[in-house]
Amino acid sequence: DAAARSRPQLVTFIVYDLPNRDCHAKASNGEICCTYLPNGRCDYMATGSCETGLAEYKTEYIDRIVKVLQDYDGKVPIVVVIEPDSL
């Protein structure tokens, strides 16, 4: 337990699943899309801002992670790295 130490240890999380991430590696595509086809699959050819996909990413994924991490605010130092493979 990182908080039980005399000097709390840094806790690091790597967060994946950006909308439309890694589009050319079909085996590792994210679950969230910018635009969905009628069959529910991602439409990688769609153009636009990805506003809908980013909203889904925030509400269905990131907000849930933030809620858990807030329990540790001030108890342990936390670093969150977002989608390092997309850099």
Side-chain angles (χ1 to χ4, degrees):
D1 186 315
R5 307 259 174 144
S6 61
R7 182 174 173 202
Q9 290 182 309
L10 176 69
V11 178
T12 304
F13 294 93
I14 309 296
V15 178
Y16 288 92
D17 221 9
L18 278 174
N20 278 25
R21 71 173 173 88
D22 204 9
C23 297
H24 296 292
K26 299 294 185 201
S28 63
N29 288 341
E31 301 171 291
I32 300 172
C33 302
C34 291
T35 304
Y36 291 95
L37 294 168
N39 65 5
R41 298 184 73 182
C42 287
D43 182 354
Y44 296 113
M45 302 307 289
T47 59
S49 68
C50 194
E51 186 174 319
T52 301
L54 291 172
E56 180 183 355
Y57 181 65
K58 180 184 181 304
T59 59
E60 298 299 318
Y61 196 68
I62 295 299
D63 286 350
R64 294 175 184 191
I65 293 169
V66 168
K67 186 175 180 176
V68 171
L69 294 179
Q70 285 174 334
D71 290 341
Y72 300 93
D73 187 34
K75 297 175 185 173
V76 296
I78 297 173
V79 171
V80 178
V81 179
I82 306 291
E83 194 74 45
D85 295 344
S86 68
L87 298 176

